[in-house]
């Protein structure tokens, strides 16, 4: 017989105390709270339920209970919560539903990704039995300077889910699968991975009711169920939440051992619980909807939707803010992650009524937090309500930003749009117009041409318009402003000239990205030219459309991949040129340009100086004709050596030691770029 005592209000969630297991949950507006315990895999007739007494088991807005003689592991728990039924006042209580604890550190649901049990619920569990994870005596954090990061955006499952990964079926799509492929990341040359969401999410959420998207599986994961628990179905062999936690740590430890940092893409702007049309009550909505979500109380308590996903988390409410801070600290302390990228971070800059805040409390708290202070902190500085804050995100000189303006300007110039030369120059030199404010640095701009949403790099040069019919939304989803160019034919083609031009353009984009001031980020799969066949919003396809195709990588290892890898390594080998701490001054760069005001001019050349004569000359030709370039004189006692010419085929497109014999002019091919390095005759690069 279990013995019940009142328990304590803190910490929230489950904790082990001297006289048992303590459970504590916040709900300001609840009138009744019942804890449900199960020793099976689900809540059923054998579930134990204990109703909490508001007089004994409530302190302020915290409901709590301590249960003695409970097992220290393998117990599932949830809550039934009742309260006011006035939807027009913002309440959504329903005590028929067993709710997941927002502070649960482990979440039990179905065991296999995309498994058959579509109606599986999600319950908290705990483990006070296992020994602490052994990080190792020689373990240490990479502590890479922000200016030196080269970020690889990737999806844990998609990285190894395909059979071509060569992994055992039990490892495919798992945290352990990532470990097996660390040699690829090292060969590519990146030193940080930015993981698409790894918080617990329901990949089968589209299949809960008949709808045009019920054929899809949420493979990106932007639909958080719980902010503390690692995605349990990324465990190997259906191992469940405790194994998922351990294997996540093993992945982080292995990546750190290889000198690769781990940044998490986190979603605090909305949750999985949708809207009032198709509500999906699993946690926050049923615990205290009026606190956790932004509501329009002047319009019958309807959800405000700045996320595009039906609801918006009330991030700057003190209770919600503390939940977010606690979860971020948990990932740093317990899992040793190195940083976070905040999805639709402009939502975090809104007050409870949705109005923008000039000094958002949550953003400031993250900036100043003692534990989070060592982390990389990156904002996606826009939301679906039109709050576009690129270059203006409240930052306390700590926050970096996804530079969406960089993406658009680089795309437009490389594909040959008129009037883009000045903007292109501003972007590759560090976007000082956006970030040269107070103590911000060039590396606070996260430069990218491609990200998970939008075209892949290959599709950017193969499609003029999106092809999203497979998503079931009539082609209405996904961005329409892609600034792409198909190079003369829409989609796949055998035309050798078009294929060569596309290859050249992909190399041009990569060259611009990796030689720009600021922090570069590339997308998984672009290193071999992955295509989604024009789908620019592939969030719901757990197929080869999103999976990394290792066979294609192998086929392109000697040309496309080789070029991408060599350019990354060249950047990292020359931080004094490309990864500067401060914005470029007049002694750091020379623009070889007298034609700035001509909108028809699509050629740009410049020299980066390092102060020791090891200069680099770069030129980009976005014209459809050859340009004869008059080269500047190299530094004293040095000569120009050609390292890169994207018009040449592998291995001549990148020659590490450089090709000598460069004269006073260079004939630069249409849609191509070059990099020349100044060096002594017998000097190695």
């Amino acid at each position: 017989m279990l013995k019940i005592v009142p328990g304590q209000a803190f910490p929230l969630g489950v904790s082990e105390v001297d006289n048992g297991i303590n459970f504590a949950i916040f709900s300001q507006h609840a009138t009744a709270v019942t804890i449900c315990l199960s020793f099976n895999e689900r809540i059923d007739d054998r579930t134990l339920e204990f109703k909490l007494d508001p007089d004994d088991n409530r302190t302020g807005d915290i409901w709590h209970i301590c249960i003695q003689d409970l097992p220290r592991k393998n117990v599932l728990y949830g809550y039934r919560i009742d309260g006011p039924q006035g939807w027009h006042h913002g309440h959504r209580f329903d005590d028929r539903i067993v709710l997941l604890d927002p502070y649960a550190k482990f979440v039990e649901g179905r065991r296999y990704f995309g498994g058959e049990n579509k109606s599986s619920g999600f319950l908290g569990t705990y483990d006070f039995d296992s020994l602490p994870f052994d990080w190792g005596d020689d373990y240490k954090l990479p502590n890479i300077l922000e200016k030196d990061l080269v970020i690889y955006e990737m999806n844990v499952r998609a990285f190894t889910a395909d059979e071509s990964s060569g992994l055992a079926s039990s490892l495919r799509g798992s945290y352990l699968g990532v470990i097996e492929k660390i040699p690829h990341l090292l060969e590519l040359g990146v030193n940080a991975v930015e993981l698409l969401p790894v918080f617990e999410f329901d990949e089968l959420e589209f299949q809960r009711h008949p709808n045009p998207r019920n054929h899809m599986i949420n493979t990106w994961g932007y639909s958080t169920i719980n902010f503390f628990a690692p995605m349990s179905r990324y465990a190997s062999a259906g191992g469940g939440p405790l194994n998922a936690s351990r294997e996540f740590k093993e992945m982080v430890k292995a990546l750190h051992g290889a000198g690769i940092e781990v940044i998490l893409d986190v979603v605090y702007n909305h949750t999985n619980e949708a809207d009032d049309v198709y509500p999906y009550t699993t946690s926050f909505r049923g615990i205290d909807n009026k606190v956790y979500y932004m509501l329009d109380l002047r319009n019958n308590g309807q959800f405000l939707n700045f996320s595009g996903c039906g609801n918006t988390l009330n991030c700057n409410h003190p209770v919600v803010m503390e939940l977010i801070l606690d979860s971020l600290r948990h990932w740093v302390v317990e899992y040793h992650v190195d940083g976070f990228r905040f999805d639709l971070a402009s939502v975090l800059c809104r007050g409870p009524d949705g109005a923008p805040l000039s000094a958002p409390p949550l953003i400031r708290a993250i900036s100043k937090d003692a534990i989070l202070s060592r982390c990389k902190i990156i904002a996606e500085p826009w939301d679906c309500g039109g709050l576009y804050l690129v270059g203006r995100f409240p930052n306390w000189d700590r926050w970096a930003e996804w530079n969406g303006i960089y993406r658009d300007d680089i795309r437009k110039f490389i594909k040959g749009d008129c009037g883009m030369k000045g903007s292109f120059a501003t972007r590759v030199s560090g976007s000082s117009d956006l970030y040269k404010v107070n103590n911000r640095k060039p590396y606070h701009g996260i430069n990218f041409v491609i990200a998970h949403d939008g075209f892949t790099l290959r599709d950017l040069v193969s499609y003029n318009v999106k092809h999203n019919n497979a998503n079931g939304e009539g082609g209405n989803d996904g961005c329409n402003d892609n600034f792409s160019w198909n190079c003369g034919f829409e989609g796949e083609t055998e035309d050798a000239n078009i294929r060569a031009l596309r290859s050249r353009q992909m190399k041009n984009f990569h060259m611009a990205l990796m030689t720009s001031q600021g922090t570069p980020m590339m997308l998984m799969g672009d290193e071999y030219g992955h295509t989604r066949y024009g789908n620019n919003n592939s969030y719901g396809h757990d197929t080869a459309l999103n999976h990394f195709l290792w066979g294609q990588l192998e086929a392109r290892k000697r040309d496309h991949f080789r070029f991408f890898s060599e350019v990354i390594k060249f950047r990292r080998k020359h931080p004094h040129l490309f990864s500067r701490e401060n914005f470029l001054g007049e002694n750091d760069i020379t623009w070889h340009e007298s034609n700035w005001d001509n909108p028809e001019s699509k050629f740009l050349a410049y020299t980066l100086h390092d102060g020791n004569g090891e200069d680099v000359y770069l030129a980009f030709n976005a014209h459809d004709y050859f340009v004869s370039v008059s080269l500047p004189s190299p530094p004293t006692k040095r000569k120009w050596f050609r390292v890169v010419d994207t018009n040449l085929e592998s291995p001549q497109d990148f020659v590490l030691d450089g090709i000598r014999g460069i004269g006073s002019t260079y004939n630069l091919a249409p849609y191509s770029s070059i990099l020349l390095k100044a060096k002594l005759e017998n000097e190695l690069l």
Side-chain angles (χ1 to χ4, degrees), residues 497-545:
N497 291 327
I498 292 177
R499 290 165 68 95
L501 176 56
R502 289 175 176 175
S503 174
R504 201 154 71 240
Q505 286 288 74
M506 285 190 280
K507 290 190 285 187
N508 291 334
F509 279 120
H510 190 63
M511 257 280 289
L513 177 64
M514 291 300 163
T515 57
S516 293
Q517 304 301 314
T519 303
M521 183 191 78
M522 65 171 292
L523 176 66
M524 174 187 90
D526 282 347
E527 68 265 39
Y528 67 80
H530 183 84
T531 180
R532 296 179 186 146
Y533 302 98
N535 191 323
N536 76 347
N537 193 30
S538 63
Y539 64 95
H541 299 280
D542 187 36
T543 66
L545 207 64

Side-chain angles (χ1 to χ4, degrees), residues 376-398:
K376 278 72 177 180
I377 306 173
I378 304 168
E380 182 184 34
W382 51 82
D383 65 19
C384 294
L387 190 56
Y388 191 77
L389 296 175
V390 175
R392 299 182 295 112
F393 192 85
N395 58 78
W396 282 270
D397 295 327
R398 283 282 292 112

Side-chain angles (χ1 to χ4, degrees), residues 266-507:
V266 292
V267 187
Y268 292 108
N269 59 79
H270 75 285
T271 76
N272 65 295
E273 295 190 304
D275 54 22
D276 285 336
V277 179
Y278 295 110
Y280 185 25
T281 303
T282 58
S283 184
F284 311 96
R285 175 185 171 96
I287 293 170
D288 206 328
N289 189 73
K290 195 172 181 178
V291 167
Y292 282 111
Y293 294 111
M294 293 185 193
L295 303 173
D296 187 352
L297 296 178
R298 295 171 298 181
N299 184 25
N300 294 319
Q302 295 299 301
F303 286 93
L304 293 171
N305 184 12
F306 298 109
S307 65
C309 298
N311 64 63
T312 310
L313 205 66
N314 192 9
C315 300
N316 284 295
H317 184 287
V319 170
V320 184
M321 183 172 77
E322 197 57 40
L323 170 76
I324 293 171
L325 291 169
D326 285 344
S327 71
L328 291 170
R329 296 183 194 113
H330 179 69
W331 287 97
V332 174
V333 173
E334 184 71 18
Y335 292 102
H336 292 200
V337 302
D338 302 282
F340 305 93
R341 175 266 188 189
F342 292 80
D343 181 62
L344 297 182
S346 290
V347 164
L348 281 57
C349 301
R350 295 182 182 270
D353 61 353
L357 303 172
S358 59
L362 175 60
I363 301 300
R364 183 187 187 282
I366 293 172
S367 307
K368 304 293 185 180
D369 188 85
I371 291 175
L372 303 178
S373 61
R374 75 162 180 82
C375 295
K376 278 72 177 180
I377 306 173
I378 304 168
E380 182 184 34
W382 51 82
D383 65 19
C384 294
L387 190 56
Y388 191 77
L389 296 175
V390 175
R392 299 182 295 112
F393 192 85
N395 58 78
W396 282 270
D397 295 327
R398 283 282 292 112
W399 286 74
E401 302 175 16
W402 268 26
N403 190 347
I405 296 176
Y406 177 96
R407 172 199 60 205
D408 296 345
D409 288 352
I410 297 296
R411 288 185 178 194
K412 285 187 265 190
F413 177 83
I414 294 292
K415 78 185 183 72
D417 283 1
C418 293
M420 292 306 302
K421 180 166 60 179
S423 297
F424 180 78
T426 300
R427 300 299 150 237
V428 298
S429 58
S431 295
S432 60
D433 60 328
L434 300 175
Y435 301 116
K436 195 174 182 181
V437 176
N438 299 327
N439 291 317
R440 302 197 86 184
K441 302 293 184 180
Y443 54 75
H444 285 130
I446 306 298
N447 297 330
F448 68 105
V449 179
I450 303 296
H452 65 275
D453 51 350
F455 284 142
T456 65
L457 186 58
R458 179 172 164 187
D459 289 356
L460 185 69
V461 301
S462 303
Y463 294 90
N464 283 348
V465 296
K466 65 186 182 185
H467 296 264
N468 292 4
N469 286 335
N471 297 353
E473 298 186 53
N476 293 316
D477 65 308
C479 183
N480 293 314
D481 300 321
N482 296 291
F483 307 117
S484 61
W485 176 43
N486 65 18
C487 296
F489 184 85
E490 187 75 358
E492 298 296 301
T493 180
E494 295 300 318
D495 187 300
N497 291 327
I498 292 177
R499 290 165 68 95
L501 176 56
R502 289 175 176 175
S503 174
R504 201 154 71 240
Q505 286 288 74
M506 285 190 280
K507 290 190 285 187

Side-chain angles (χ1 to χ4, degrees), residues 36-323:
C36 307
L37 302 174
S38 174
F39 306 98
N40 306 302
E41 294 182 358
R42 61 189 183 279
I43 296 294
D44 57 20
D45 293 338
R46 291 169 288 176
T47 299
L48 297 177
E49 297 195 358
F50 301 98
K51 190 169 184 177
L52 278 61
D53 185 329
D55 293 326
D56 294 334
N57 301 103
R58 182 172 186 173
T59 303
D61 295 327
I62 310 296
W63 299 73
H64 47 81
I65 187 172
C66 181
I67 305 176
Q68 297 180 2
D69 300 321
L70 270 180
R72 301 175 72 241
K73 187 177 181 181
N74 297 328
V75 176
L76 305 183
Y77 76 100
Y79 294 92
R80 299 186 192 274
I81 299 182
D82 203 1
Q85 298 303 301
W87 278 38
H88 58 290
H89 291 306
H91 301 301
R92 301 294 187 271
F93 291 106
D94 185 346
D95 64 359
R96 296 169 298 178
I97 302 172
V98 179
L99 302 166
L100 175 64
D101 177 8
Y103 273 80
K105 304 305 189 294
F106 309 101
V107 175
E108 181 71 78
R110 71 182 72 86
R111 287 295 183 98
Y112 292 92
F113 194 90
E116 292 298 318
N117 189 7
K118 297 178 183 179
S119 61
S120 171
F122 296 91
L123 298 170
T125 188
Y126 58 82
D127 177 13
F128 298 114
D129 241 359
S130 299
L131 293 173
F133 182 78
D134 182 9
W135 290 95
D137 294 336
D138 57 349
Y139 168 82
K140 61 181 180 180
L141 298 169
N143 287 323
I144 299 169
L145 296 176
E146 286 183 88
K147 73 180 187 66
D148 294 328
L149 288 176
V150 178
I151 301 173
Y152 184 78
E153 191 192 29
M154 60 172 284
N155 181 307
V156 167
R157 174 168 171 77
F159 195 45
T160 62
D162 194 78
E163 188 176 352
S164 64
S165 67
L167 302 183
S169 58
S170 61
L171 289 181
R172 290 180 211 149
S174 71
Y175 301 121
L176 297 186
V178 173
I179 296 175
E180 296 296 317
K181 297 300 183 180
I182 288 176
H184 167 71
L185 300 174
L186 293 174
E187 186 179 5
L188 179 59
V190 297
N191 60 10
V193 291
E194 184 174 301
L195 305 180
L196 265 63
V198 295
F199 293 1
E200 185 73 26
F201 66 92
D202 182 3
E203 72 278 12
L204 296 183
E205 62 180 349
F206 306 136
Q207 303 183 17
R208 291 181 292 108
H209 54 80
N211 69 91
R213 300 189 298 165
N214 62 11
H215 61 292
M216 294 203 294
I217 291 175
N218 185 343
T219 188
W220 285 358
Y222 290 89
S223 194
T224 307
I225 285 177
N226 173 280
F227 298 120
F228 290 85
M231 177 58 173
S232 59
R233 286 170 298 290
Y234 288 170
S236 63
L242 302 187
N243 283 323
S245 174
R246 177 179 51 79
E247 291 175 7
F248 186 95
K249 293 173 183 175
E250 290 180 12
M251 177 189 71
V252 172
K253 179 180 177 180
L255 287 164
H256 283 175
I260 298 172
E261 291 199 337
V262 179
I263 299 170
L264 302 187
D265 190 338
V266 292
V267 187
Y268 292 108
N269 59 79
H270 75 285
T271 76
N272 65 295
E273 295 190 304
D275 54 22
D276 285 336
V277 179
Y278 295 110
Y280 185 25
T281 303
T282 58
S283 184
F284 311 96
R285 175 185 171 96
I287 293 170
D288 206 328
N289 189 73
K290 195 172 181 178
V291 167
Y292 282 111
Y293 294 111
M294 293 185 193
L295 303 173
D296 187 352
L297 296 178
R298 295 171 298 181
N299 184 25
N300 294 319
Q302 295 299 301
F303 286 93
L304 293 171
N305 184 12
F306 298 109
S307 65
C309 298
N311 64 63
T312 310
L313 205 66
N314 192 9
C315 300
N316 284 295
H317 184 287
V319 170
V320 184
M321 183 172 77
E322 197 57 40
L323 170 76

